[in-house]
Amino acid sequence: MIIAIDGPAASGKGTLARRLAAHYGLPHLDTGLLYRAVGARCLAAGTLDDEAASAQAARELDVDALDPDALRTAALGEAASVVAARPQVRAALLALQHRFAARPGGAVLDGRDIGTVICPGAEAKLFVTAAPQVRAERRFRELAGRGEPVTFEAVLADIHKRDARDSGRAAAPLVMAPDAVLLDTSSLDIPAAFAAALAVVEARRAGR
Ligand code: CDP
């Protein structure tokens, strides 16, 4: 079974993806980390504005060497969104995502284009969202908890900017697949959101 989870920044999709993967004993790929890693390499090399260099960085990406903790900073979220708008970068990351999704038994993938581009045939698709204020509060708490010197206002501005860039780009924009189920987690805590997500997946498994 392939479970595809998409949604905007800090919507809770990563937490749900990890929990669903643990529940069903499936491997999980946080595809945002791929774009974050490409953004990190470009920032370090001073080539964030260079499409060819970012595509080369994507082709050279070593998935086994990703360091999630180091990649989940606010600056790398922004850099990821910049490189992710480029078709050459997305094309370079396609094969490895397809390989991951083709694992025997299935997989859980989360990102922006899983249900639309990467795994259009996924058995269960969730589009996880929440109000921008709520997402900004969650992300602010997460980043501040990690010791990042951020303000709530800056996090909210970043969320708005990334929402606009991710949804407005021509290449694999953030859009809900027609057969995805919308899950708004604005007023749900993690256990409630997980229960709702599980109910969606179980319904799909039962053919409903
Ligand atoms: O955790 P958060 O939702 O803030 O971000 P993420 O999932 O790590 O993704 C970072 C950025 O990568 C997003 O803003 C997107 O621009 C891009 N991304 C994408 O274009 N396609 C994906 N499948 C995953 C991420």
Side-chain angles (χ1 to χ4, degrees):
M1 169 176 61
I2 294 178
I3 303 177
I5 306 182
D6 291 303
S11 54
K13 62 188 185 308
T15 303
L16 290 177
R18 276 191 297 279
R19 292 204 172 203
L20 286 170
H23 180 84
Y24 290 110
L26 293 171
H28 165 226
L29 180 64
D30 172 352
T31 63
L33 290 180
L34 307 177
Y35 295 93
R36 284 171 180 265
V38 173
R41 283 194 57 171
C42 293
L43 270 186
T47 56
L48 195 62
D49 296 333
D50 182 336
E51 173 150 15
S54 53
Q56 187 59 26
R59 282 191 285 275
E60 288 169 5
L61 192 70
D62 179 359
V63 216
D64 299 318
L66 299 181
D67 177 354
D69 265 353
L71 292 172
R72 288 206 180 97
T73 64
L76 293 182
E78 171 64 17
S81 165
V82 170
V83 297
R86 299 176 179 152
Q88 289 184 47
V89 169
R90 306 199 73 83
L93 297 175
L94 210 57
L96 76 90
Q97 295 177 83
H98 281 155
R99 270 199 306 279
F100 193 92
R103 288 186 179 200
V108 180
L109 289 88
D110 76 90
R112 301 290 188 288
D113 63 343
I114 308 303
T116 49
V117 174
I118 305 296
C119 302
E123 282 85 348
K125 297 183 187 179
L126 280 159
F127 192 87
V128 185
T129 189
Q133 280 292 121
V134 175
R135 289 189 280 126
E137 268 158 34
R138 290 178 187 160
R139 184 52 48 93
F140 173 69
R141 262 185 269 122
E142 182 191 329
L143 293 171
R146 291 161 38 107
E148 273 209 51
V150 285
T151 63
F152 173 78
E153 288 70 25
V155 173
L156 181 61
D158 172 70
I159 293 244
H160 281 305
K161 189 169 158 196
R162 274 212 282 149
D163 282 358
R165 192 190 287 125
D166 291 350
S167 304
R169 70 189 178 205
L174 171 66
V175 56
M176 183 169 140
D179 54 345
V181 175
L182 181 68
L183 180 57
D184 187 331
T185 66
S186 299
S187 58
L188 302 179
D189 62 9
I190 292 174
F194 176 63
L198 194 58
V200 170
V201 177
E202 284 298 307
R204 285 296 163 96
R205 265 156 60 96
R208 281 180 270 134

